[in-house]
Amino acid sequence: LNGTAVTSPEANDLEYLTPVTIGNVTFHLDFDTGSADLWVYSDELPTDEQTGHAVYATTDSKLLPGSSWEILYGDGSSAGGDVFADTVVVGGLTATMQAVEAAATLSAEFERDAHSDGLLGLAFSTLNMVKPQKQSTFFDNVKSQLDLPVIATSLKHGAPGTYDFGFIDENKYTGPLTYVDVDSSRGYWTFTADAYAFGDDQISTSLTGIADTGTTLILLPSDTVSRYYANVSGAQDSPLHGGYVFPCDSKLTPFTLVVAGNHSVTVPGELINYAPVGSVSNLCFGGIQAASGLVDINIFGDVFLKSQYVVFDAGSQGGPRLGFANQ
Ligand SMILES: O=C([C@@H]1CCCNC1)N1CCCCC1
């Protein structure tokens, strides 16, 4: 059995939300290939923090005795609580004894997110934060039902896309799929590009980072980012806006990763114009920004992933790997 779930972007493609049924309640969760916990808003939160969200009824649920969870994300946000076992359905696929992590505390960033009802982690289960015993991700729990141990993402700019589980949909991409090996030793979908390019200007330096559906932008080393915006007239690193901004009518340089020897994975300039900074100024915020001090790795987030049909292959032909094709 395989499955497909439709995922829909919030305003400015800030995050993509996908319906997940837990017990008999449907939650809209942020699928996150950069973490490995499935957590949801719950009745253990202060009532005002539950308002507007689907809420997990812990009083009707099967507790995992003695288990708890606490996560600090690289963007500084955090959440924590206790753990239950429940039936979780995504895109027609069912995990009967899925660890569902009920939020009892949320940081301000999550309290401000009026739309997401929680996260569904799709990184490797070694990254799960439940104690005393790590729990398996939804993907690990359904993997044995799938034809192939793969998740394939089709995230789009300003339009619904899909998460395919167990199969690769040839109708969703053009040209060949190019695969690159993944180093899963830190629990992320980490890969290395042999070189990268800003437009026609190739830089023969390797770039290692993670494919992270839960991060909005592309986050790179600050000197690399400054070199990119040197190509964009009128661009400036604005403390007021928290990163690089430029005139909204700028023609942005494409960003290319060179992988698997000589295959180019290119993000068109248009996708690097992330969004206007506000309703009055004609400044736009860049889709490539510097990784914050908290995070010491590069993150290829949604701005990157939107240009590709991406196959997160956990080992259909040996080790874990990522496949990229234009969509
Ligand atoms: O917390 C995160 C991200 C935050 C946004 C959502 N995806 C997971 N990490 C990924 C990069 C290394 C540090 C941990």
Side-chain angles (χ1 to χ4, degrees):
L1 177 69
N2 298 322
T4 294
V6 172
T7 191
S8 300
E10 285 305 295
N12 298 323
D13 304 346
L14 179 69
E15 60 187 359
Y16 290 78
L17 299 182
T18 308
V20 175
T21 301
I22 306 175
N24 59 0
V25 176
T26 294
F27 296 75
H28 289 88
L29 302 185
D30 183 1
F31 282 22
D32 181 13
T33 58
S35 67
D37 288 63
L38 193 172
W39 69 261
V40 285
Y41 281 65
S42 86
D43 55 13
E44 295 175 343
L45 286 166
T47 316
D48 61 298
E49 293 179 23
Q50 300 178 33
T51 308
H53 292 276
V55 169
Y56 187 66
T58 60
T59 50
D60 308 340
S61 300
K62 183 177 176 309
L63 179 74
L64 224 51
S67 291
S68 67
W69 63 285
E70 177 75 44
I71 300 186
L72 171 61
Y73 292 102
D75 56 8
S77 61
S78 63
D82 48 9
V83 188
F84 299 80
D86 212 324
T87 297
V88 173
V89 181
V90 174
L93 287 165
T94 300
T96 52
M97 292 289 286
Q98 174 68 44
V100 175
E101 300 170 36
T105 59
L106 291 176
S107 66
E109 295 82 357
F110 287 116
E111 288 163 26
R112 271 201 296 271
D113 184 336
H115 306 282
S116 162
D117 299 321
L119 263 68
L120 187 144
L122 294 172
F124 294 87
S125 294
T126 49
L127 212 50
N128 180 265
M129 297 295 178
V130 172
K131 293 188 181 353
Q133 190 170 0
K134 285 182 186 300
Q135 301 297 310
S136 298
T137 64
F138 174 80
F139 180 47
D140 275 351
N141 281 330
V142 299
K143 204 178 279 182
S144 59
Q145 300 175 48
L146 305 178
D147 289 348
L148 294 171
V150 303
I151 305 162
T153 69
S154 177
L155 301 183
K156 294 180 190 296
H157 169 57
T162 52
Y163 281 84
D164 292 325
F165 289 87
F167 73 108
I168 293 167
D169 189 336
E170 276 77 15
N171 303 315
K172 292 181 180 169
Y173 64 89
T174 60
L177 273 166
T178 297
Y179 284 96
V180 60
D181 288 344
V182 160
D183 167 7
S184 59
S185 60
R186 288 184 61 190
Y188 303 115
W189 293 89
T190 306
F191 69 101
T192 296
D194 309 311
Y196 59 97
F198 298 146
D200 300 333
D201 168 23
Q202 171 146 334
I203 297 121
S204 302
T205 308
S206 66
L207 205 52
T208 296
I210 69 169
D212 184 359
T213 56
T215 290
T216 310
L217 307 178
I218 295 171
L219 303 179
L220 298 175
S222 48
D223 57 349
T224 304
V225 175
S226 133
R227 185 165 174 179
Y228 174 81
Y229 288 107
N231 299 307
V232 181
S233 63
Q236 50 177 331
D237 187 4
S238 158
L240 172 69
H241 297 105
Y244 282 85
V245 297
F246 43 77
C248 289
D249 59 2
S250 302
K251 181 168 171 27
L252 292 164
T253 312
F255 171 59
T256 296
L257 292 181
V258 181
V259 296
N262 61 352
H263 296 268
S264 291
V265 178
T266 296
V267 183
E270 293 76 9
L271 285 180
I272 301 172
N273 184 333
Y274 170 63
V277 298
S279 45
V280 287
S281 92
N282 85 322
L283 288 178
C284 277
F285 196 72
I288 294 176
Q289 297 292 346
S292 77
L294 260 180
V295 169
D296 65 350
I297 55 176
N298 300 311
I299 304 186
F300 300 109
D302 299 335
V303 164
F304 175 82
L305 300 169
K306 270 179 251 183
S307 64
Q308 305 289 311
Y309 185 70
V310 183
V311 179
F312 292 75
D313 182 342
S316 69
Q317 291 183 15
R321 59 184 187 160
L322 283 165
F324 299 109
N326 289 326
Q327 60 173 359

